[in-house]
Structures are given as structure tokens and as C-alpha cells.
Amino acid sequence: MQKMNILNTQDLNFKEEFAKLLMRGKMDINSVELRVKELLEDVKNKGQEALKEHIKLFDKWEPKDFEDLKISKTQMQEAYEGLEENLKESLKIAYKRIYAFHAKQKPKTWLDFEENGNILGQIINPVQRAGLYIPGGKAAYPSSLLMNVIPALVAGVKEIVVCTPTPNNEPNHLLLAAMHLCKVSEAYKVGGASAIALLAYGVKECKKVDVISGPGNIFVATAKKLVFGEVNIDMIAGPSEIGILAQNYTNTKYLAWDLLSQAEHDEMASSILITTNKDLALKVKEEIYEILPTMQREKIARASIDTRGAIIVAKDLEEAISLMNEIAPEHLELLVENPLEILPKIKNAGAIFIGENTPEPIGDYIAGPNHTLPTGGSAKFFSPLSTEHFMKKSSLISFSKQAILELGEPCSTLAHCEGLEAHKNSVLARLNKI
């Protein structure tokens, strides 16, 4: 039975159905918040004993002590050396492209010398220690390791620590190999909210970090939200999603596979096509349900498509663009006749893929831009993970004698208006007026 919805903007119930799509990112954090708080406090108060209990419960193996939680550099190196050459080469190509892109993002310290002798500026420094969470439940994601470690390396972070779950104490060899390629020297076999607690509070020789990045399930997202302020975080990301804008695009198989590329991630993933062509909408739906039985992850993809997938038929391209801006998808594919002409009208998207030769998976692995992206409509106010997430800014101010004489009076006036006498007099003393 084909359950994927085809909505038409002219339908009487369209606004109601579209509103449901806009709610797709509302993970029910309230439902797990109490449990996550308990897990965080447990690790904060009991340290390694709590971690051992959590791993026995969730990952089904029993570490003896904190040493058992560590992933050694030897393990990473052996995993890398055991890779087939084509896989090694693929990882190297991805590494180089991701590094080159993020190097262009790196902000620089700047100074501005004014005529009166003032010096104003901004000093950029990396954080000292970054914690990276790499999922490892339903699948292992070496690509996520590259996308999180490399921006931190480019930023100049001295200490990078990785946490990843290892069900049954069986680390993923490709993930270990990627750690070796990225020169990770500190990594732990800890997942979920427990890993976020380890990174945020520190346990034994694993010191607390300054910033945590990386995707995860609702427990990880909730934990990151709760420790924000204790440390910085990248964003609170939910299930993966894709939006596709299509006009009279004829290769419906491309569209079907692109929608399924997100559906196979997670039952809660969202795949949304907006088109101006009703016949194309029907054909894409047909293609999807023809492909599904051939997929290794059919059960996951089918659940996603049936419950969270949608095809919308818009009256024209302007309406289609407006709807997609409301959706603000994590990934947006533009499969339209003149994509560069409509690009200025795209206001909300995590990453934009232009043309039929740029499927979303190109961005996941090899293009270069980061694939850690805002989800659930948060592209309206969040940006992709970048080098800047691992850096901090300090303002620099140096006034000359001439400058304090020129600007002291208006400064003291403003301080006086706010009733802050010491502020005012601090300035007036330098003007010899008190």
C-alpha cells in the first residue's frame, strides 16, 4: 500500500496538512528530558562507575575500568592499515576536499588604526578543547567524523576528543581508520547522553571540553541542550531531511532515489518534493514504491516515506519557492530550469544542491562543505557546522589621549543617564574633571 501523501496547494485541507509538515522537527524533548537529566547527573556525581553502568545497560558490554573505555591510537592505525586501497584513497580525497573548504572559512584577527591613535580590532583564538560526538547505533558514520574533526583541526584546536557508542564492544573499523587519518589521539567508547556528560563534565583523565559538536538521537540532542552554558554546542539537530524543488524535470528515478537517500537514514527522516507538475508527482511516487523493495534498509526507508514523506503540487514556481522557504530544509536540491536565477529567492536551507549532477550524497561525503546541518526548520536561524564553531572572538580596544579627550564627554553623559556614577567618573577622571 502506497501511503506517501501527495498534497495540492489548491486542496481545502492543504494548510492543515502543510502545518503538520512544518512540525516535523519538533522532537518531543519533554518526553525524555527527565531521564536525560538523571543520566547527566549520574555521570557528574559518580563518574566512571556511572559510565560503566550505562554502557552495560545500553551497549550490552561490561567495561572493567576507565581504561576499557579508551580507543588506542594503535587500534586506529591498525584499522587504517587494514583498509582496501580504494577505500583509503576515497577517505583521503574526502579529507583533502573538506579541509580545503573549511580553510577558506577561517576568520582572521584584524586591527583598525584610527587617525586619532585609537586601535580597535578583533582577536580570533581557537577553543582549547573540543568534544565530538559521532553516532554509532543504527549505523557508523566515518563521514561525520571527518566533518566534525576537520573544522576543529583547521581552527587550530589543540585537544580533540571523540566519543562514539560501540554496541557489544565492537568498534567500527572504518570509523577507527578515519580517526587515524584525522590524527585523533583521544577517543572513548561511550554513547548517548552519557557521552555528552563525559565531555561536558569530565571524568578521570578525560577533562571537560569547551565545545561539543556532532549529531545524535533525541537523547543526545536533549543532553546537548541541557549542558549548553556549561559548554558551548554546535546546534540541536534532529532527524535528517531533504527538500527538492522540481519543475518539468523528466528523470523521475533521480528524484525518487534522492528522496530515499534521506529516508534510509531514520524512520523519522523527512523527504519532501515540491513540484509544479502533477504528472511528475505521481510518477515519482510510483518510482519510490518500485524501488523500496530492493533496498537493504527497506523497513526504515518505508517507515520514513509512509509517515514523514510528502509530495506537494504547487500552482507555480513562486509558490513552490515560498513553501520551501517555510519548510527550511536541511538539504535542498534545485532541479529546475534556471536554478541560478531563483537562487536569490532561496532564504532558508542548510545546504543547497544545484542541478541534476549534484545529488545530496555528494555533500554528505566528498564535495567539501560540512554535512552537519540545521534540521526541522532551524535553517531559518542556524548555520552549518563551520570552522568558526571551534573559535572564539575577543574585542580589542586601545584609546589614545586624544581619543579619550574627544569621546570622554559623550561617554560620561551616557553613563550618567544610566545612573552609573563610577562609570561616569572613571572617564571624567581621565579628563581631569573630578
Side-chain angles (χ1 to χ4, degrees), residues 299-312:
K299 188 175 179 181
I300 292 172
R302 188 179 292 274
S304 168
I305 287 294
D306 285 350
T307 61
R308 310 268 288 187
I311 299 175
I312 299 173

Side-chain angles (χ1 to χ4, degrees), residues 93-109:
I93 291 170
Y95 182 99
K96 288 177 182 176
R97 293 187 61 83
I98 296 165
Y99 195 101
F101 180 87
H102 288 82
K104 293 174 182 175
Q105 291 181 329
K106 188 176 180 179
K108 296 179 180 178
T109 292

Side-chain angles (χ1 to χ4, degrees), residues 28 37 91 95 101 114 122 155 162 190 194 208 219 244 257-258 260 272-273 277 279 282 302 312 318 325 384 403 429:
D28 191 10
K37 279 183 179 177
L91 280 176
Y95 182 99
F101 180 87
E114 298 182 351
Q122 185 170 263
V162 172
V190 185
S194 313
K208 68 171 289 186
F219 287 89
I244 302 178
W257 275 116
D258 291 358
L260 288 167
I272 301 169
L273 167 66
N277 187 318
D279 291 337
L282 293 168
R302 188 179 292 274
I312 299 173
E318 288 297 319
N325 276 328

